[in-house]
Amino acid sequence: MAGVQTAVALREQGFTGPVTLIGAEPHQPYDRPPLSKAILLGKAEDSAFDVDFEALDVELRLGLDVTGLRAADHEIDTESGPVPYDVLVVATGAHPITLPGAEGVPGVHLLRTLDDAVRLGPVLERRHTLVVVGAGWIGAEFATAAREAGCAVTVVEAADRPLAGALPAEVTAPMAEWYGANGAELLTHARVRTVEPGAPGEPGAPGRVVLADGRELPAEAVVVGIGARPATGWLAGSGITLDPSGAVTADDRLRTSLPDVYAVGDCASFPSARYGERLLVHHWDNALQGPRTVAAAITGTDSGPYDPVPYFWSEQFGRFVQYAGHHADADELLWRGDPAEEAWSVLWLRAGVPVALLAVGRPRDLAQGRKLIETATPVDPERAADPSVPLKAAVR
């Protein structure tokens, strides 16, 4: 998404020079959200972007790994030899974190690429008994698809709740109930000791996942969703500055520490004046919005600092979940609605000003709350906590 949108934005903003888009995967550039939904369930064959690269005069070089960056020479190294650049945009995304000790074990899957989704499709078709490691966003989405396909699903999470790294305990408590209500078993405080494949020579023979406390879970397949890390290993030795997470530390125009090198999307962190800290946003909307800032900087039509209100959505267990903002420094949390019901939302305030909102089946709350966050508009907490009052009517 970030690479494609950068190429598109450059042309939209009047850049007429040559543009080359290099990607490690052999497929036409594609969108990722359908991988855990329509493609996984066989409802779509691919999710290629509807972009006419030939008409845009963008050269695609697919199936090509980039192995290094030599800034002094203005060249990147690839398997096919060096490629020179005047301006380089790094949009290499993130790699899923693998489960220690499970690399290469038959029947253990990740879900990040189109090839991953294609490999998992038949697993769902055969209605296997599955163990999902990780109750984050991707784990919940995969568990949802697997239940829809008729699989038996157990989700194991090392923390005490789902989405532990993303949301406070009081917000995730009602979300934990969604698993059992949809026929999936959720095990928390559950660390994986080892994954043992099925018996050799017996295709389809169940393997097992052994937990640290000795419990054994039958598993014909295991899907790992325990997070992702910026895909920046290829930048080792380049002199580019990375943060502790491995993300490229871009500035507020998404420029890196190297001349004529920008970074955008999952692989780059950026300083947010809005939230007073550096943000690393692994979500689709960031990969859509950031390229416009990069293209503006390259073409000299500076559009101002990149400081978005982060936004993402997730479809899980029959619910449409949306989040906007960043709640880390909030000092007040307001509930709008009963979390035992199908639709509710949570609004975070800092000194009376909305800084983040989570909406479950309340898209109007999300749309109105997002605007209040963007404009830093104070609200009356009592009215904002009344789900019958539109958020835009709760302005102080």
Side-chain angles (χ1 to χ4, degrees), residues 7-17 19 295-296 298-299 301:
V8 170
L10 282 167
R11 292 303 187 220
E12 287 178 346
Q13 296 185 29
F15 183 77
T16 57
V19 175
I298 291 171
T299 57
T301 56

Side-chain angles (χ1 to χ4, degrees), residues 238-322:
S238 68
I240 201 166
T241 303
L242 307 179
D243 68 19
S245 75
V248 179
T249 52
D251 69 7
D252 62 4
R253 266 67 174 182
L254 300 180
R255 296 170 296 214
T256 75
S257 61
L258 297 178
D260 304 318
V261 180
Y262 295 78
V264 66
D266 289 7
C267 68
S269 65
F270 57 89
S272 170
R274 183 191 307 276
Y275 291 107
E277 62 180 283
R278 181 168 284 276
L279 299 182
L280 176 60
V281 181
H282 280 195
H283 293 297
W284 185 93
D285 193 65
N286 179 50
L288 173 68
Q289 305 291 346
R292 297 167 188 165
T293 295
V294 171
I298 291 171
T299 57
T301 56
D302 188 1
S303 58
Y306 184 62
D307 196 5
V309 172
Y311 167 75
F312 69 90
W313 78 96
S314 176
E315 296 176 61
Q316 50 184 269
F317 304 117
R319 292 165 173 83
F320 187 48
V321 182
Q322 296 173 283

Side-chain angles (χ1 to χ4, degrees), residues 21 26 44 98 110 207 230 259 263 312 341 346 366 381 383:
L21 191 58
T98 56
L110 300 168
F312 69 90
E341 303 294 334
V346 173
L366 190 287
R383 288 179 59 77

